[in-house]
Amino acid sequence: MKLVNIGENNSVLGNYIAEIRDVQIQKDSMRFRTNLERVGALFAYEISKTLSYSEKEVTTPLGVARVATVDTPLVVAAILRAGLPIQNGLLAAFDHAECAFLSTFRKFGKGDYFKVHADYCTCPPLEGKTLIVADPMLATGASMEEALAKLEEEGGTAQHVHMVCPVASLYAVDHLLQHLDSRFTLWVAAIDEELTSHNYIIPGLGDAGDLAFGEKIQ
């Protein structure tokens, strides 16, 4: 697996990451969603540099211009709920992409033990296409592994898979580096070193789904 941390270089991305982490700004759910969409659009720009292109002729009012445009067929998947704003940002750039949706959840057992389950998935065929999976946070990597397995079960094997996870734990990054091959690329904006006993990222940003869409009914 290839790891790309686009937060290592200073850019306006830092403004958006700062705001989605800020406990005061988080009180404005619309602002939180908008910042996640902006983050998604910036990741899309970076991912676009890895895709295949061909030159095409475009007729203007005054002549003909040659322009290189993306040829890679894309599927953009959101892990519900929190991945939806990032998916929107990705789709703002990749407007011809198909979409996939899936939900995962933690089922806790005794103590801090939990198992991740994929509950729902809808996905177009993935053969010969590039898949982009959006989830704001990557804590242990278990949800992402379960999501990838479910998407492959539903849609088949993608030619390449990009995982967009703005905030990731060092544990999850190391785990995926050991378990995923060169067909996968993980894109992050920040890597946090600490996980709590319940596998929450510190400093992280809290529950992105609740911050974007309101608290879940228990």
Side-chain angles (χ1 to χ4, degrees), residues 1-43:
M1 183 190 82
K2 182 179 181 181
L3 170 66
V4 183
N5 183 354
I6 66 173
E8 289 180 327
N9 298 314
N10 291 335
S11 74
V12 71
L13 173 67
N15 293 54
Y16 307 148
I17 297 300
E19 290 199 0
I20 66 173
R21 286 191 191 264
D22 191 302
V23 67
Q24 295 302 320
I25 299 176
Q26 285 179 350
K27 295 176 182 179
D28 183 345
S29 59
M30 180 174 160
R31 183 74 178 182
F32 187 82
R33 292 193 303 271
T34 298
N35 280 325
L36 284 181
E37 290 181 6
R38 290 168 167 173
V39 168
L42 290 179
F43 274 104

Side-chain angles (χ1 to χ4, degrees), residues 108-172:
F108 283 91
K110 293 183 179 179
D112 295 327
Y113 170 79
F114 69 87
K115 183 173 177 58
V116 175
H117 292 267
D119 188 36
Y120 166 84
C121 181
T122 177
C123 182
L126 295 174
E127 287 86 352
K129 301 174 185 176
T130 291
L131 173 66
I132 306 174
V133 184
D135 199 11
M137 303 181 72
L138 190 68
T140 66
S143 293
M144 181 58 70
E145 285 186 303
E146 185 69 19
L148 294 173
K150 188 68 174 178
L151 286 165
E152 186 168 289
E153 177 185 327
E154 293 291 322
T157 303
Q159 186 171 339
H160 196 87
V161 179
H162 297 280
M163 298 163 287
V164 175
C165 304
V167 179
S169 75
L170 182 60
Y171 174 91

